[in-house]
Amino acid sequence: MNIPFLGDRAEKHRIHDAEGIAEPLAECELLRSHAAREGIQLDDSASSLEELDQLVPRWRDDEETVSWLGNDAGLYLGTVIVRTVEGAVWEIRPDGQPVVRLDSGREFDVVASGHEWAASGVPELSQLYAEVAEE
């Protein structure tokens, strides 16, 4: 419902700066370092997500590593989506959480997905990417 005198209140509180935030969010240093030790080159492609899904999750015994790696995995997933899915952009929600927004308006909390992946392997990063790319 569009009520003109209310305006688009939600949009006023969002930060739209896809170019300014894309590079820092793409760093994912811990994930890139871990992947390199395993012989995986993270080239911001969908196929690199498949390779990450094949890693043996030796990190799951260390709660701190799970958290950091999950954060990086989510940011990397978002980076791949933003760089390969037309119309996908980064946004920062008012609570500070980076999300990926599609042209359709649908948002993906990729960081939450990365944490789930790091902790349990499910859902797979490549599966999440396929869902987003399909839209």
Side-chain angles (χ1 to χ4, degrees):
M1 175 191 282
N2 184 11
I3 304 172
F5 68 89
L6 291 178
D8 193 353
R9 299 171 88 180
E11 287 299 310
K12 289 181 182 177
H13 298 290
R14 295 189 180 278
I15 298 172
H16 296 273
D17 182 14
E19 296 303 315
I21 63 173
E23 287 308 311
L25 293 177
E27 288 179 5
C28 314
E29 289 182 37
L30 180 62
L31 181 68
R32 289 182 188 278
S33 172
H34 186 78
R37 283 194 305 273
E38 298 293 326
I40 297 172
Q41 180 183 354
L42 299 183
D43 60 1
D44 302 343
S45 68
S47 62
S48 66
L49 295 171
E50 293 172 9
E51 292 182 64
L52 285 173
D53 288 336
Q54 301 304 312
L55 285 176
V56 176
R58 294 183 184 101
W59 61 83
R60 290 197 182 129
D61 294 334
D62 182 349
E63 205 171 299
E64 187 174 331
T65 301
V66 167
S67 179
W68 281 100
L69 198 62
N71 193 65
D72 276 9
L75 294 175
Y76 184 71
L77 171 62
T79 296
V80 173
I81 292 169
V82 167
R83 292 187 176 168
T84 62
V85 175
E86 188 174 333
V89 296
W90 282 110
E91 281 191 0
I92 305 296
R93 293 190 313 211
D95 65 0
Q97 183 74 5
V99 295
V100 172
R101 185 177 190 81
L102 302 181
D103 274 344
S104 67
R106 188 165 178 207
E107 281 185 2
F108 291 90
D109 187 343
V110 291
V111 173
S113 297
H115 282 281
E116 291 174 22
W117 174 83
S120 68
V122 177
E124 292 182 339
L125 299 174
S126 58
Q127 177 186 355
L128 290 165
Y129 174 82
E131 284 178 32
V132 173
E134 188 176 281
E135 232 178 79

